[in-house]
Amino acid sequence: MRIHRTRTVASCALAVACLIGAGNAQTPTSASGSVVVAKPTYISIPMEITVNRPAAEVWKRIGKYCDIGEWFQIPAGCKITSGKDGEFGAVRTVGGEVLVGKTELSYTYTQPVREGVRYNMYHGTLEARPVTATTSKLVYTLFFDNSNLADDAAKQADKDRRRTQFMRALQNMKTLAEGGTLPPPPARGRGAQP
């Protein structure tokens, strides 16, 4: 009788282990099975460019939430998929980003948590800051966790790549705000979206 009970317990344990294993296999996440990062390393990348126009004029030209489609030169453009452009909670097609903060001359967005995808707390803030009555500067700051990158060299390469992309976007915003037209977009490779 003892042998039968031991076999039954062992069979039940094996069945539970198989069910748990099958459930975890269906939702690919981190090695721990969570989208949460145990030891994040947050970084920020502040960037700015001077614009020869008043801040209010600059913001009027490039500051709508979906203007990113133009100045980032996204081939598919940008559309609001939920909410209204410029209102809290608006979601744009670019990165599925959600508008989480704004002032008269700035906004902040985030990329939401997605099932099965490591969460890096990515946020961006774009601001037109007055300097004089006739000049301003555009300030773009990125904030995220880069702990998934292998080493300091990979982290620096990622930071440099992002800075290059977003400085090009800032230059495009400056060009548009000062009344110019944009050059053709650079060739896009893997990972070129913001």
Side-chain angles (χ1 to χ4, degrees):
M1 181 143 10
R2 179 176 274 210
I3 293 173
H4 180 65
R5 202 176 302 157
T6 304
R7 283 186 194 155
T8 303
V9 170
S11 296
C12 287
L14 180 60
V16 168
C18 289
L19 287 173
I20 290 171
N24 287 341
Q26 294 173 10
T27 55
T29 57
S30 66
S32 68
S34 173
V35 297
V36 177
V37 177
K39 293 184 180 179
T41 55
Y42 298 117
I43 68 156
S44 64
I45 306 173
M47 298 158 282
E48 62 181 59
I49 194 167
T50 301
V51 183
N52 295 313
R53 290 284 190 272
E57 287 181 26
V58 170
W59 197 248
K60 184 177 180 182
R61 177 60 181 95
I62 59 88
K64 290 186 289 305
Y65 194 46
C66 253
D67 282 347
I68 188 173
E70 181 181 15
W71 47 257
F72 215 95
Q73 296 183 304
I74 298 170
C78 175
K79 292 183 176 76
I80 300 297
T81 61
S82 179
K84 292 183 181 176
D85 197 339
E87 292 184 3
F88 288 103
V91 179
R92 64 186 178 193
T93 52
V94 178
E97 295 165 343
V98 182
L99 182 68
V100 295
K102 68 177 197 156
T103 68
E104 185 180 340
L105 299 174
S106 73
Y107 64 73
T108 298
Y109 61 89
T110 188
Q111 292 179 349
V113 176
R114 291 184 176 89
E115 186 175 343
V117 178
R118 177 189 167 280
Y119 183 58
N120 70 356
M121 204 169 163
Y122 182 94
H123 285 69
T125 298
L126 175 61
E127 174 188 11
R129 189 176 296 168
V131 176
T132 69
T134 59
T135 64
S136 58
K137 63 180 170 179
L138 285 167
V139 180
Y140 208 134
T141 305
L142 301 177
F143 174 87
F144 58 97
D145 166 30
N146 69 354
S147 63
N148 66 314
L149 299 173
D151 54 30
D152 288 342
K155 290 177 181 181
Q156 187 62 50
D158 179 68
K159 187 174 184 177
D160 292 344
R161 178 189 59 79
R162 290 175 193 265
R163 182 178 302 281
T164 298
Q165 282 183 314
F166 282 87
M167 285 304 299
R168 184 173 51 247
L170 281 168
Q171 180 60 54
N172 287 348
M173 287 183 249
K174 172 184 172 72
T175 298
L176 292 169
E178 292 177 350
T181 57
L182 297 181
R188 292 208 177 258
R190 185 175 166 279
Q193 288 272 341

